[in-house]
Amino acid sequence: MQYWVHLDELELDFACHPGQSVLDCMIGSGKKGIQVGCRGGGCGVCKVEVIEGDYIARPMSKAHIDNDAIADRQVLACCITPKSDLSLKVVGKINKPIQRKGKQA
Amino acid sequence: MALRGVLRLGEISIRVLDLADARKHYVDRMGLIEVMSDDAEQKIYCKAWDEHDHHSIVLREADEAGLDYVAFKVYDDQTLTDLEPKIQAFGLEVSRVDAGVYPKSGRRLEFILPSGHRMQLFAEKEQIGNTLGTRNPGVMPDEGVIRGFRINRLDHCLLGGPNIDESARLFREVFDFDLSERIEDEESRDSLALFLTCSTKPHDVAFVFQPEAGRFHHVSFLLESATDVIYAADMIGKYRIPVDVGPNRHGVTRGNTIYFFDPSGNRNEVFSGGYVHYPDTPTLTWDTSQMGPAQFSQDNIPRESFLNVMT
Ligand code: FES
Ligand SMILES: [Fe+2]
């Protein structure tokens, strides 16, 4: 049994296997789109909004997913396992205070 | 510096999202020794085998990951007495914590660093030894004492926040640390990361710039050899522990390293090696034109996640 995960904006699709997190399945499929950080629900960079579908979530750091976020169906992709096909939107990003400032300003 | 004053990072308290998962990671997999637990406060206390103090790692279940506090051990109680007015003169509010409030521990001073981290100083903690005793101790503990990733001891931590120059100034001016290395922006010369030592190690604490205060980048554990770093890497692979950066060497500090995450997303490091630092060793400076070699000197590739993902 596998479910499909779809991200419209990124034109990204990958299969998810039972017992694996959405983020692990994306990594396992060799695809990129959702930011990959700690994979433990602590750093928040993999935050997504669930547009459609059901999932089970393990504990996620309140610093990134508070009650408002849960009400908005925002979750950490490393902490959810699908119970149906899922359609997601990327919310999290990696802030980059440390990089060459150079020309890009 | 004949190593008096502030001695070392003596205790770190880390918030975890699930204590059972954390125990599996830090105790079963990494091989730290659980010395005590507190069901009411949802905490476990651990040590590495070659530490004499009762514990050095505290894991507390909470609804957020990250750092509770760092506590540095100082030489004696007089050191605490001497440091208190100096910390106040620096401009920080210091609160006194009575002996016994933190288990097995003498009195503590507590204050918030300019970078937003809660820090404590203590002089006394019950010592339970490293199993070898102190008279004709031999060198090898019994089979099973050294296990998991073969961690010898807690070594250092890297903290993320704003005002890192001010936090570093506190460590240098009040706690007598030296600035061993520094990463700066090549144009503005702003500090991006600062590495500080109170010993002959390349660093005992480090700060990395982050707009948000009080963030936790990693806690690091010392291994005996680079071979043990590779052994730990094999264990990390076997147990499918998420890896941030596989075995490599740091340009900064020259340590052989591997970075991975605990089940709550807190970054851990095991490492070996590095150079010897003395108080007259000049500060080494890296800039953003060389972020690859500064971070990881075996492939010279900077990792975006490395400096910007933290709890
Ligand atoms: S990758 Fe860090 S919270 Fe998901
Ligand atoms: Fe480190």
Side-chain angles (χ1 to χ4, degrees):
Chain A
M1 183 71 201
Q2 63 179 30
Y3 295 115
W4 282 91
V5 177
H6 173 70
L7 288 100
D8 214 23
E9 289 164 309
L10 300 172
E11 295 179 21
L12 180 69
D13 285 282
F14 54 88
C16 216
H17 308 278
Q20 290 188 354
S21 77
V22 165
L23 195 68
D24 277 342
C25 295
M26 184 196 76
I27 297 167
S29 72
K31 297 193 175 164
K32 292 203 168 83
I34 307 170
Q35 294 286 353
V36 178
C38 69
R39 286 155 277 171
C43 76
V45 303
C46 68
K47 195 192 278 192
V48 293
E49 191 179 313
V50 181
I51 310 293
E52 236 184 279
D54 298 320
Y55 57 87
I56 315 168
R58 68 181 183 98
M60 301 177 276
S61 188
K62 276 262 185 320
H64 303 291
I65 301 292
D66 57 15
N67 291 336
D68 288 351
I70 290 174
D72 291 344
R73 292 179 45 100
Q74 292 193 346
V75 291
L76 300 173
C78 65
C79 295
I80 61 162
T81 318
K83 285 199 322 188
S84 71
D85 290 351
L86 291 180
S87 166
L88 307 177
K89 195 177 119 196
V90 170
V91 179
K93 59 178 194 307
I94 294 186
N95 293 315
K96 298 173 193 167
I98 308 245
Q99 63 182 5
R100 292 182 74 168
K101 294 206 175 106
K103 301 283 167 277
Q104 32 183 304
Chain B
M1 187 227 29
L3 211 48
R4 300 292 184 267
V6 178
L7 300 181
R8 63 172 173 274
L9 176 61
E11 182 175 315
I12 188 165
S13 177
I14 299 167
R15 295 189 297 262
V16 298
L17 301 174
D18 182 296
L19 200 55
D21 288 349
R23 178 182 271 128
K24 189 175 197 181
H25 175 79
Y26 287 94
V27 179
D28 299 349
R29 305 301 197 219
M30 291 176 70
L32 296 176
I33 298 160
E34 181 177 339
V35 288
M36 190 168 70
S37 63
D38 183 334
D39 291 342
E41 293 201 27
Q42 296 192 289
K43 287 181 181 173
I44 64 172
Y45 297 79
C46 302
K47 74 189 283 287
W49 84 268
D50 204 15
E51 294 168 330
H52 291 270
D53 282 357
H54 182 271
H55 60 268
S56 56
I57 321 293
V58 183
L59 304 168
R60 179 173 76 87
E61 186 170 299
D63 57 15
E64 287 183 21
L67 179 76
D68 261 343
Y69 62 83
V70 288
F72 283 74
K73 193 175 193 192
V74 305
Y75 180 61
D76 61 5
D77 195 73
Q78 186 62 44
T79 310
L80 286 183
T81 305
D82 295 344
L83 283 175
E84 183 174 1
K86 293 182 185 167
I87 303 164
Q88 287 162 334
F90 183 88
L92 303 184
E93 206 173 299
V94 180
S95 52
R96 296 177 176 179
V97 184
D98 290 338
V101 170
Y102 288 87
K104 313 288 180 186
S105 171
R107 72 182 179 106
R108 295 188 178 194
L109 302 179
E110 183 176 279
F111 42 91
I112 306 290
L113 296 176
S115 47
H117 304 88
R118 189 146 69 100
M119 173 165 165
Q120 301 172 349
L121 297 172
F122 66 96
E124 274 145 32
K125 188 183 275 182
E126 187 182 309
Q127 292 201 318
I128 57 174
N130 64 1
T131 76
L132 291 171
T134 54
R135 188 177 183 88
N136 304 320
V139 297
M140 285 296 281
D142 288 345
E143 297 270 19
V145 173
I146 303 176
R147 45 171 296 278
F149 296 1
R150 303 174 177 163
I151 289 165
N152 282 354
R153 54 185 309 124
L154 170 65
D155 190 87
H156 65 267
C157 61
L158 174 51
L159 308 176
N163 308 318
I164 58 173
D165 289 301
E166 277 300 286
S167 283
R169 189 168 71 84
L170 173 76
F171 275 83
R172 296 175 77 180
E173 292 179 5
V174 178
F175 302 143
D176 273 338
F177 281 51
D178 294 315
L179 184 68
S180 57
E181 304 203 35
R182 179 166 183 272
I183 303 178
E184 64 177 28
D185 183 82
E186 61 179 314
E187 280 168 20
S188 68
R189 300 282 176 97
D190 290 341
S191 300
L192 299 178
L194 299 166
F195 302 79
L196 297 134
T197 175
C198 61
S199 64
T200 58
K201 303 185 303 175
H203 62 331
D204 289 281
V205 66
F207 293 93
V208 57
F209 173 73
Q210 267 290 307
E212 217 180 305
R215 307 285 304 270
F216 179 50
H217 187 280
H218 74 267
V219 58
S220 185
F221 300 93
L222 178 71
L223 305 185
E224 188 81 15
S225 68
T227 310
D228 280 354
V229 174
I230 301 301
Y231 178 80
D234 280 329
M235 299 287 270
I236 288 166
K238 172 180 169 66
Y239 293 119
R240 308 284 172 100
I241 294 169
V243 171
D244 188 24
V245 184
N248 212 304
R249 184 191 289 276
H250 281 305
V252 174
T253 76
R254 289 191 214 154
N256 304 285
T257 180
I258 176 166
Y259 283 97
F260 51 100
F261 294 102
D262 81 6
S264 306
N266 298 300
R267 191 187 276 96
N268 299 158
E269 175 186 31
V270 289
F271 85 105
S272 73
Y275 55 83
V276 176
H277 182 278
Y278 280 100
D280 65 341
T281 306
T283 298
L284 308 177
T285 303
W286 305 76
D287 66 42
T288 37
S289 68
Q290 298 285 319
M291 283 305 266
Q295 284 186 20
F296 298 103
S297 65
Q298 291 178 340
D299 57 12
N300 300 311
I301 297 173
R303 268 61 171 187
E304 181 172 90
S305 64
F306 179 65
L307 284 179
N308 299 311
V309 166
M310 49 193 97
T311 53

